[in-house]
Amino acid sequence: MQPPSLTEIQALAREPMAAVDRLIRERLKSDVVLINQVAEYIIGAGGKRLRPMLLLLATGAAGGEALIDAKAHQLAAVVEFIHTATLLHDDVVDESDMRRGRRTANSVWGNAASVLVGDFLYSRSFQLMVELQRMEVMQILADTTNRIAEGEVLQLLHIRNPDTDEAAYLRVVERKTAVLFAAATRLGGLLADAPAEHCDALETFGLNLGYAFQIADDVLDYAADADALGKNLGDDLAEGKATLPLIHAIAHSDAAASARLRDIVSNGDVESLDEVMTAIRATGGLDYSRRRASEYATKAEAALATLPSNPYSRALLGLAQYAVSRDT
């Protein structure tokens, strides 16, 4: 049976995701007006809400639709708050001015407001998780947010660093992206009181899906339509980030071309994007990166083999395929 499309997956999760969205807006409220303005601006930007949807789908995959209840809605909101806080902080660190086709919060309100509202979202997420009174849930999310912070610092260390290799790149991807995917899917299993092997399988699925999703995202920065992507192509290069297509090109170019690429990374020279694209194409950097993303997607799919077959586990399979086939 063909896994469902993203549209079909979103339809399956529509009602619980609507409940999550209502809860997000309810719990965003503060008597500090600026917090409401900034938080609503970034939450209201929309997006696919992939991480909270993963938690809901994992809950259903592990135990059935009846378990996608108020507790699942609340925990899904926690995951989205954590993710949104990281976006606010990321855009400040990266000095980004566009996300999802519109201005970033820091370009509208300034860096200080964005950092502080990000802190508010982190603290609000911990208030929500404490209300659930499950120590294992709090442990997972505390560990996850700590790992995300490590990933931010690791990435900072590699900014404009031409010596960044694939292993270093993957360590950043693990902490910045994959660990929150893994937390969302494991938490879904926990909410369903699934056996340990199913919780482990869901965590493995989420981790590998996170790798696949981020590598595919980094390919899009060199291969997508800028308007559809909602940001400028070459933004990673401008920010001094050597992602997998460029890392591969540096490693597989001749000495002169490799030295030139390293110089471009060191200077964050986005004006040389065409030159970088030529080198990436010449060395097969996009195809290599797509293969690596597909390898992780395949690992994610394999992890679900022990789970019951139901509409939710099939939806997770569909997300693994979507992660590497999307164009935005």
Side-chain angles (χ1 to χ4, degrees):
M1 182 184 297
Q2 183 72 17
S5 67
L6 179 64
T7 300
E8 292 169 327
I9 295 166
Q10 290 172 323
L12 176 66
R14 182 171 292 120
E15 288 189 17
M17 283 301 296
V20 172
D21 280 346
R22 288 192 296 270
L23 180 61
I24 284 171
R25 283 182 162 76
E26 177 187 332
R27 298 307 292 266
L28 271 177
K29 292 177 184 175
S30 167
D31 58 7
V32 179
V33 174
L34 183 59
I35 289 176
N36 293 329
Q37 291 175 330
V38 177
E40 175 58 31
Y41 182 82
I42 190 166
I43 290 287
K48 300 177 181 69
R49 298 273 201 273
L50 184 58
R51 292 151 186 84
M53 186 166 65
L54 272 172
L55 187 145
L56 300 176
L57 295 175
T59 304
E65 186 172 5
L67 295 167
I68 306 176
D69 56 12
K71 290 182 179 179
H73 301 160
Q74 185 154 331
L75 205 44
V78 168
V79 169
E80 184 64 9
F81 280 166
I82 290 171
H83 174 57
T84 304
T86 67
L87 296 184
L88 283 165
H89 289 169
D90 274 356
D91 287 340
V92 171
V93 172
D94 296 340
E95 300 179 2
S96 300
D97 57 10
M98 290 289 291
R99 182 180 289 277
R100 295 173 183 157
R102 57 181 207 162
R103 293 176 66 192
T104 55
N106 55 298
S107 72
V108 177
W109 285 280
N111 288 343
S114 289
V115 169
L116 294 172
V117 173
D119 292 344
F120 169 83
L121 290 174
Y122 268 131
S123 58
R124 181 52 53 89
S125 72
F126 275 82
Q127 287 177 323
L128 286 167
M129 74 177 77
V130 167
E131 289 174 12
L132 294 171
Q133 296 186 342
R134 289 192 62 168
M135 181 57 70
E136 192 170 10
V137 166
M138 289 187 281
Q139 184 71 59
I140 289 170
L141 287 168
D143 290 345
T144 298
T145 52
N146 187 258
R147 298 275 282 171
I148 292 170
E150 288 179 335
E152 293 284 0
V153 177
L154 269 178
Q155 179 170 272
L156 186 63
L157 291 173
H158 289 290
I159 294 296
R160 300 195 176 185
N161 177 9
D163 294 321
T164 302
D165 60 11
E166 183 171 337
Y169 162 80
L170 290 173
R171 285 194 292 272
V172 172
V173 170
E174 177 192 5
R175 289 165 173 81
K176 281 204 63 187
T177 302
V179 294
L180 189 56
F181 277 62
T185 48
R186 184 172 189 88
L187 289 168
L190 288 176
L191 285 178
D193 292 321
E197 59 268 27
H198 287 178
C199 291
D200 290 344
L202 284 165
E203 181 177 9
T204 299
F205 167 83
L207 189 72
N208 283 286
L209 180 67
Y211 277 114
F213 190 89
Q214 186 60 59
I215 295 170
D217 203 60
D218 292 338
V219 168
L220 290 176
D221 192 59
Y222 288 104
D225 176 83
D227 291 335
L229 192 60
K231 65 175 187 176
N232 300 317
L233 294 188
D235 272 358
D236 288 339
L237 179 62
E239 293 161 7
K241 298 175 186 173
T243 56
L244 191 55
L246 181 49
I247 290 168
H248 181 83
I250 291 172
H252 292 83
S253 295
D254 62 39
S258 180
R260 172 61 182 148
L261 292 173
R262 290 168 61 85
D263 184 62
I264 291 171
V265 171
S266 296
N267 292 296
D269 183 8
V270 73
E271 298 300 322
S272 299
L273 178 60
D274 288 345
E275 190 176 345
V276 169
M277 286 299 308
T278 297
I280 288 174
R281 285 192 291 268
T283 57
L286 292 179
D287 288 340
Y288 173 77
S289 299
R290 290 187 183 107
R291 286 198 302 275
R292 293 291 283 137
S294 293
E295 288 167 8
Y296 282 109
T298 299
K299 290 178 183 178
E301 293 172 12
L304 297 177
T306 61
L307 289 173
S309 179
N310 60 39
Y312 298 95
S313 57
R314 288 192 290 276
L316 293 178
L317 285 172
L319 285 178
Q321 293 198 3
Y322 164 75
V324 294
S325 63
R326 62 200 172 94
D327 54 13
T328 60

